[in-house]
Amino acid sequence: MADKKARLTVDGESIDLPVYSPTVGPDVVDVAKLISLGYFTYDPGYVSTVSCESAITYIDGEAGVLRHRGYSIEQLAEQSSFLEVCYLLIYGRLPNDDQFADFQSAIQSEQVIDDYLMSVLSSFPRNAHPMGVMCSLVGAMSAHYHDEIDINDPECRQTTAIRLIAKVPMLAAMTLRHGRNQEFVPPAPNRGYAENFLHMMFSESESDSVSPILANAMDRIFLLHADHEQNASTSTVRLVGSTDANPYACIAAGIAALWGPSHGGANEAVLQMLEEIGDPSKIDAYLKMAKDPNNPIRIMGFGHRVYKNYDPRAKVLQATYREVLGLLGIQSDPTLQMARDLERVALSDDYFIQRRLYPNVDFYSGIILKALGIPTSMFTVIFVVGRTPGWIAQWNEMISKGYKIGRPRQLYTGDVIREYPQD
Ligand code: SDX
């Protein structure tokens, strides 16, 4: 795989390190044998570190490009559906009609309410944060299915993927309704995936209908969140998976990682930020705080480790939002106006221009979810539903291709040695 070499010379001693070329994107230097020279690499936050080989998602942060199995996010958002993208991420190709029908019915057959999950859910107070509940419910799935799991059996991995894609939206809806002290509404077999999700979330009775406008917007939001290369939560799923752990436990760990406001929790934090700013006249003062290196405040929904250009998902979300407002006949929305004022001011500010900080997927997702009637505390749970196929596809790729246990080293700066005091 390596016909190129990188030579590293330290204190007059040199080592040639293999350089591998991807199908697209930057070359990588294999530093694994650096330890033989007595050195580690140092890269806190993994800014320049590749953790694995993958064929699922490609991102070009400079150009604002996102592709799943080679298909651009713009084309998928326009022409595909969330479930079709789930299939694409897991199996590596778009399904034909029969394959898609089989995939859909396999998912529907798993969409049943499990008593053990209902009892775990009922143990939570009504005001429990939905992300903490989701961590526990998917964790409970790991306990329930543990004895039948053989991660080396492709059939078992496929069943796990189907079960998670089927059950996670149900768990999300159950979590919302538990918090509202409402009876759970089961999924209806004749409804689409996103339509069923909104039905389970908001319908008062099994016969209630769901607006196709909202169902299409929900499907596109799930699709835009489906996978994103080796982000913090996906890397968490891979690291936990590298210990041969129970796959449901791996996904529960991914949910925990996504919860952080620097990651998937940002969509909830964007709405809180917009409410905190309160009035467009206060945007400048808020930006001033966000630019102060001694102030922990950040403009939530802005900036990205990879995108140094507009996040392509933010662009699609922005367009989807305008479409939904128009179809719903909503002329203006103060929250959207505030977001657009904030975006305009930030994008013309030197601090943001110099650091190449642009709106990311979370900047607009919160605003559109609010328009769909999703409570703010559920925003990151929506991200979980969308990202589940990406997590399980990345886990499946790792397990099926072979892997080593993830075990980084450190730059030790503690005490060298101390003697325990003698009496
Ligand atoms: C997601 O990785 C993925 O793919 C994630 C994701 C996915 O689909 O999985 O895309 C989803 O998590 C999107 C990101 C959501 N998070 C936020 O919106 C939170 C706000 N953003 C920041 O916290 C930050 O931009 C991060 C965490 C997203 C990225 O952090 P980095 O890459 O470590 O960048 P950095 O902190 O080194 O920032 C570089 C500079 C710093 O200033 P200087 O030290 O150079 O003076 O930019 C500044 C930062 O202080 N900066 C910001 C800022 N983001 C970075 N300043 C103000 N507001 C911000 N939002």
Side-chain angles (χ1 to χ4, degrees):
M1 203 160 72
D3 48 16
K4 278 198 238 178
K5 296 259 184 261
R7 170 156 300 181
L8 179 68
T9 302
V10 184
D11 294 341
E13 205 175 344
S14 296
I15 185 170
D16 283 346
L17 299 168
V19 175
Y20 307 133
S21 296
T23 46
V24 59
D27 284 355
V28 300
V29 179
D30 180 344
V31 294
K33 63 180 185 182
L34 201 55
I35 184 70
S36 64
L37 203 63
Y39 286 92
F40 295 148
T41 60
Y42 181 66
D43 183 16
Y46 311 121
V47 178
S48 302
T49 293
V50 161
S51 61
C52 63
E53 183 182 327
S54 179
I56 298 174
T57 292
Y58 172 69
I59 306 173
D60 177 337
E62 295 299 325
V65 165
L66 168 57
R67 297 185 194 127
H68 293 314
R69 302 286 190 181
Y71 296 96
S72 77
I73 193 65
E74 292 84 0
Q75 284 190 7
L76 292 171
E78 192 55 40
Q79 302 171 55
S80 183
S81 69
F82 175 61
L83 268 198
E84 188 178 67
V85 169
C86 290
Y87 188 99
L88 174 66
L89 292 172
I90 294 166
Y91 299 105
R93 63 188 183 285
L94 292 170
N96 61 33
D97 293 346
D98 291 344
Q99 289 163 334
F100 189 64
D102 292 345
F103 187 62
Q104 249 181 334
S105 56
I107 286 169
Q108 277 169 0
S109 65
E110 284 288 350
Q111 285 201 315
V112 288
I113 311 169
D114 301 279
D115 292 342
Y116 76 95
L117 289 170
M118 294 296 274
S119 56
V120 169
L121 182 60
S122 62
S123 69
F124 281 96
R126 301 287 177 203
N127 64 351
H129 194 290
M131 280 299 284
V133 177
M134 288 298 288
C135 281
S136 308
L137 290 172
V138 176
M141 290 177 76
S142 70
H144 183 76
Y145 292 113
H146 188 67
D147 295 342
E148 67 182 64
I149 287 171
D150 170 5
I151 63 172
N152 298 306
D153 172 4
E155 283 290 305
C156 173
R157 297 202 297 270
Q158 172 163 300
T159 303
T160 303
I162 296 285
R163 263 196 197 126
L164 282 160
I165 294 170
K167 292 185 186 291
V168 163
M170 291 178 62
L171 300 182
M174 287 159 67
T175 299
L176 174 71
R177 297 186 83 102
H178 172 73
R180 292 178 163 179
N181 199 10
Q182 291 174 322
E183 283 300 307
F184 185 56
V185 171
N190 58 337
R191 294 177 192 250
Y193 189 90
E195 180 194 359
N196 236 338
F197 174 69
L198 293 175
H199 170 62
M200 293 188 283
M201 287 270 281
F202 300 121
S203 291
E204 292 303 317
S205 75
E206 297 196 24
S207 58
D208 277 4
S209 63
V210 172
S211 150
I213 299 168
L214 301 188
N216 290 336
M218 192 75 255
D219 192 83
R220 187 172 292 177
I221 290 167
F222 286 148
L223 187 154
L224 291 168
H225 287 81
D227 191 51
H228 210 241
E229 200 220 60
Q230 305 311 320
N231 57 84
S233 52
T234 300
S235 299
T236 301
V237 170
R238 280 183 173 260
L239 185 60
V240 176
S242 75
T243 71
D244 307 330
N246 176 314
Y248 300 94
C250 296
I251 303 301
I255 296 172
L258 187 75
W259 193 356
S262 289
H263 189 13
N267 55 17
E268 181 178 349
V270 165
L271 262 288
Q272 287 156 359
M273 171 186 70
L274 294 175
E275 278 156 23
E276 197 179 320
I277 295 174
D279 182 280
S281 63
K282 298 196 179 108
I283 285 175
D284 286 335
Y286 200 88
L287 274 182
K288 192 159 177 267
M289 289 191 292
K291 296 187 292 188
D292 174 357
N294 302 313
N295 191 323
I297 281 184
R298 287 280 177 277
I299 301 300
M300 301 314 279
F302 255 75
H304 199 278
R305 173 61 58 75
V306 177
Y307 290 123
K308 300 308 171 192
N309 199 324
Y310 227 97
D311 182 331
R313 300 167 296 176
K315 281 187 184 165
V316 176
L317 274 171
Q318 207 184 61
T320 304
Y321 184 68
R322 285 205 195 94
E323 202 181 300
V324 167
L325 285 190
L327 291 169
L328 292 177
I330 301 173
Q331 296 312 317
S332 73
D333 170 10
T335 311
L336 172 68
Q337 198 46 57
M338 169 77 92
R340 292 176 63 191
D341 289 346
L342 176 60
E343 178 188 354
R344 179 176 42 77
V345 176
L347 289 181
S348 58
D349 184 297
D350 278 346
Y351 173 95
F352 288 83
I353 294 167
Q354 283 158 15
R355 292 167 179 78
R356 300 199 291 170
L357 302 174
Y358 290 86
N360 59 50
V361 66
D362 291 303
F363 190 69
Y364 281 104
S365 65
I367 300 164
I368 194 170
L369 289 172
K370 180 170 177 277
L372 297 185
I374 308 278
T376 307
S377 64
M378 285 290 291
F379 284 5
T380 312
V381 173
I382 301 297
F383 202 145
V384 169
V385 178
R387 185 53 53 89
T388 292
W391 284 330
I392 202 68
Q394 296 268 354
W395 171 81
N396 181 53
E397 180 183 62
M398 177 182 80
I399 301 294
S400 57
K401 281 193 163 177
Y403 52 98
K404 292 173 75 70
I405 188 168
R407 206 281 185 214
R409 301 304 303 272
Q410 63 180 7
L411 171 66
Y412 178 69
T413 54
D415 293 294
V416 176
I417 188 165
R418 294 194 281 179
E419 295 299 324
Y420 194 79
Q422 302 305 317
D423 294 340

